[in-house]
Amino acid sequence: MILLFLLIDHFKTRVKMSSNRAYYILKFFVFQSRIWQFLRVLINWRCVKLDKDFINLAARSLVWPVCLVGAIENEKHNIMTVAWITQISANPLQLVISIDKSRYTHNMISETGEFMVSILSSEQKEIAAVCGSRSGRNVDKIKQLKIETVPSTVVKVPRLAGCLANMECKVVAQYPAGGRTLFVGEVVAADVGKENLKPMIMYRGKYIG
Amino acid sequence: MILLFLLIDHFKTRVKMSSNRAYYILKFFVFQSRIWQFLRVLINWRCVKLDKDFINLAARSLVWPVCLVGAIENEKHNIMTVAWITQISANPLQLVISIDKSRYTHNMISETGEFMVSILSSEQKEIAAVCGSRSGRNVDKIKQLKIETVPSTVVKVPRLAGCLANMECKVVAQYPAGGRTLFVGEVVAADVGKENLKPMIMYRGKYIG
């Protein structure tokens, strides 16, 4: 800024223009520098936002299976939609699921050490939508959606009829992940649904199967 | 067995048959019990095998994305095929990948704390097959497959051209999982490929996309 003043003073004395005119030139420079500052903030904000958008879009480019995760506690059976799930080991066969700490199912799993993974078929989109948006604290989703349950062989949580597959899991480890918990479950028993069922697949926020 | 002897003695005295005949009846019972024992073992083995087959088939009913995980150490860049991957948190955006401890890439990631996830498109099946079956200890897979690399913005590991998306990851946690390690990576930068690309999808051991 001081440099700018000196420059204008020098300019003023050299061309002998009026002080008024020099003042406007100064004002213009100051204004321009403010515009630049504003633009720089705007560009930075836009870049950060674009970076985040790219990161989000890239992560959503991983295809997701769509599952229901079930838990039971004090005879209360609840299910929720989970898409962040993957196998992590073949022998013993283990899965990992990521569940938000605020979810009703979270405490049920961490207290009982058991959960059920029921993989949804492409025809069960309504179930996925309802179980992903409503909390089991207020609604009995299984009754509301008239989902048929089948007794399990090892864990207490029942299996769900009509799914692609059911996997009975026992929790073998829990790890923190921000506001979420990673539950590592060992599959202790399973069944597989009818052969003609096709998997529900999510890709970039849309169902492609 | 003693009960069987007593029974045969009783039978023998009652019907006054020859000792020889009783011996053969006894032998038949013993033989039959051995057959039963053998059958029981066989049935049990078959049931356990069927259970395991069901568990495997159920787990493979989760659709898998197919990715290349890249790492770099001492200027040596290696990639391997990974399908056991999922997002686990949205903010910060984190992924988890499961990698066998014996793999060449495992130590590279655990020592440098960085890796690249390049999601494959449905047209890159040859790359997936080669990078999933050969070790980078013996072959330079990137040279062999003539994969073009692009410089990264945050991590050292380069991005791969022509993929669905590239995610630059920094390791924030490592957890043991049997003979494998779960690497939790925070995505620090990303890019997304051409819009017309479709994801490679694995379902029950086959490519369906």
Side-chain angles (χ1 to χ4, degrees):
Chain A
M1 198 59 84
I2 293 162
L3 241 165
L4 203 69
F5 271 100
L6 287 172
L7 213 91
I8 286 173
D9 278 4
H10 171 76
F11 188 62
K12 192 179 126 192
T13 47
R14 279 290 283 261
V15 297
K16 304 207 170 171
M17 64 178 179
S18 73
S19 173
N20 208 24
R21 202 167 157 195
Y23 171 73
Y24 282 116
I25 289 174
L26 171 69
K27 222 178 157 186
F28 170 74
F29 273 105
V30 170
F31 181 65
Q32 205 193 32
S33 89
R34 286 232 176 111
I35 283 185
W36 269 120
Q37 223 169 346
F38 176 72
L39 277 178
R40 220 177 305 139
V41 169
L42 205 75
I43 288 165
N44 195 39
W45 171 82
R46 191 69 209 152
C47 281
V48 169
K49 203 193 162 300
L50 272 177
D51 273 359
K52 275 200 177 173
D53 286 353
F54 264 123
I55 288 176
N56 276 327
L57 185 60
R60 285 188 301 144
S61 305
L62 290 167
V63 289
W64 295 348
V66 186
C67 305
L68 295 180
V69 166
I72 200 164
E73 196 188 10
N74 303 329
E75 308 302 317
K76 175 115 194 222
H77 180 198
N78 189 42
I79 47 175
M80 69 174 282
T81 307
V82 166
W84 292 351
I85 176 171
T86 188
Q87 185 174 339
I88 54 163
S89 158
N91 200 5
L93 206 148
Q94 292 178 340
L95 306 173
V96 73
I97 54 171
S98 166
I99 295 190
D100 199 288
K101 282 180 186 162
S102 68
R103 300 301 289 262
Y104 186 46
T105 315
H106 182 279
N107 287 5
M108 290 171 105
I109 296 176
S110 79
E111 271 161 39
T112 59
E114 291 182 352
F115 62 91
M116 173 71 63
V117 173
S118 306
I119 307 172
L120 291 180
S121 80
S122 56
E123 289 152 16
Q124 296 175 300
K125 283 174 191 127
E126 193 204 336
I127 296 180
V130 171
C131 295
S133 58
R134 291 185 205 167
S135 171
R137 284 192 188 92
N138 320 313
V139 196
D140 185 338
K141 292 183 251 187
I142 295 153
K143 252 192 192 166
Q144 193 191 339
L145 291 161
K146 291 173 189 154
I147 299 173
E148 199 187 323
T149 60
V150 183
S152 289
T153 58
V154 182
V155 304
K156 265 193 170 182
V157 198
R159 297 174 176 182
L160 305 181
C163 290
L164 214 65
N166 284 288
M167 288 183 276
E168 303 182 21
C169 299
K170 278 190 178 277
V171 176
V172 291
Q174 295 183 34
Y175 303 116
R180 294 179 153 258
T181 301
L182 295 184
F183 290 106
V184 177
E186 188 168 326
V187 184
V188 288
D191 70 16
V192 176
K194 283 180 191 160
E195 264 192 33
N196 58 347
L197 295 176
K198 283 179 181 172
M200 193 188 294
I201 307 172
M202 207 157 200
Y203 172 67
R204 292 188 175 168
K206 281 180 189 156
Y207 293 118
I208 59 163
Chain B
M1 198 60 84
I2 291 162
L3 242 165
L4 203 71
F5 271 101
L6 286 173
L7 212 91
I8 285 172
D9 277 5
H10 172 75
F11 187 62
K12 189 181 130 195
T13 47
R14 278 292 283 261
V15 299
K16 306 206 169 178
M17 65 179 179
S18 74
S19 173
N20 207 21
R21 203 166 156 193
Y23 171 73
Y24 281 116
I25 291 174
L26 170 71
K27 220 174 158 186
F28 170 73
F29 273 105
V30 171
F31 180 65
Q32 204 192 32
S33 87
R34 285 230 176 113
I35 284 186
W36 270 119
Q37 224 169 345
F38 177 71
L39 276 179
R40 221 178 303 140
V41 169
L42 205 76
I43 289 165
N44 193 40
W45 171 81
R46 192 67 208 155
C47 281
V48 168
K49 202 192 163 301
L50 271 177
D51 274 358
K52 276 200 175 172
D53 285 353
F54 264 122
I55 288 176
N56 276 327
L57 185 60
R60 285 188 302 144
S61 304
L62 291 167
V63 289
W64 296 347
V66 186
C67 305
L68 294 180
V69 166
I72 200 164
E73 197 187 8
N74 303 330
E75 308 302 318
K76 173 114 195 223
H77 180 198
N78 188 41
I79 47 175
M80 69 174 281
T81 307
V82 167
W84 293 350
I85 176 172
T86 188
Q87 186 174 341
I88 54 162
S89 159
N91 200 4
L93 206 148
Q94 293 177 342
L95 307 173
V96 73
I97 54 171
S98 166
I99 295 191
D100 199 289
K101 282 180 186 163
S102 69
R103 299 300 289 261
Y104 186 46
T105 315
H106 182 281
N107 287 5
M108 291 172 105
I109 296 177
S110 80
E111 271 161 39
T112 59
E114 291 182 351
F115 62 93
M116 172 73 63
V117 173
S118 306
I119 308 173
L120 292 180
S121 80
S122 56
E123 288 153 15
Q124 295 175 300
K125 286 180 188 121
E126 193 204 336
I127 296 180
V130 171
C131 295
S133 59
R134 290 185 208 167
S135 172
R137 282 191 190 94
N138 319 314
V139 195
D140 186 339
K141 294 183 248 185
I142 295 153
K143 252 192 193 168
Q144 192 190 341
L145 290 161
K146 291 171 191 156
I147 300 173
E148 199 188 321
T149 59
V150 182
S152 289
T153 58
V154 182
V155 303
K156 264 192 170 181
V157 198
R159 295 174 178 183
L160 304 181
C163 290
L164 213 65
N166 284 289
M167 290 183 275
E168 301 182 21
C169 299
K170 278 190 178 276
V171 175
V172 291
Q174 295 184 33
Y175 303 118
R180 295 180 153 257
T181 300
L182 295 184
F183 289 105
V184 178
E186 188 167 326
V187 184
V188 288
D191 70 15
V192 176
K194 283 182 192 158
E195 263 192 33
N196 59 348
L197 295 176
K198 284 181 181 173
M200 193 188 296
I201 307 172
M202 207 157 199
Y203 172 68
R204 293 190 175 167
K206 282 181 190 154
Y207 294 117
I208 59 164

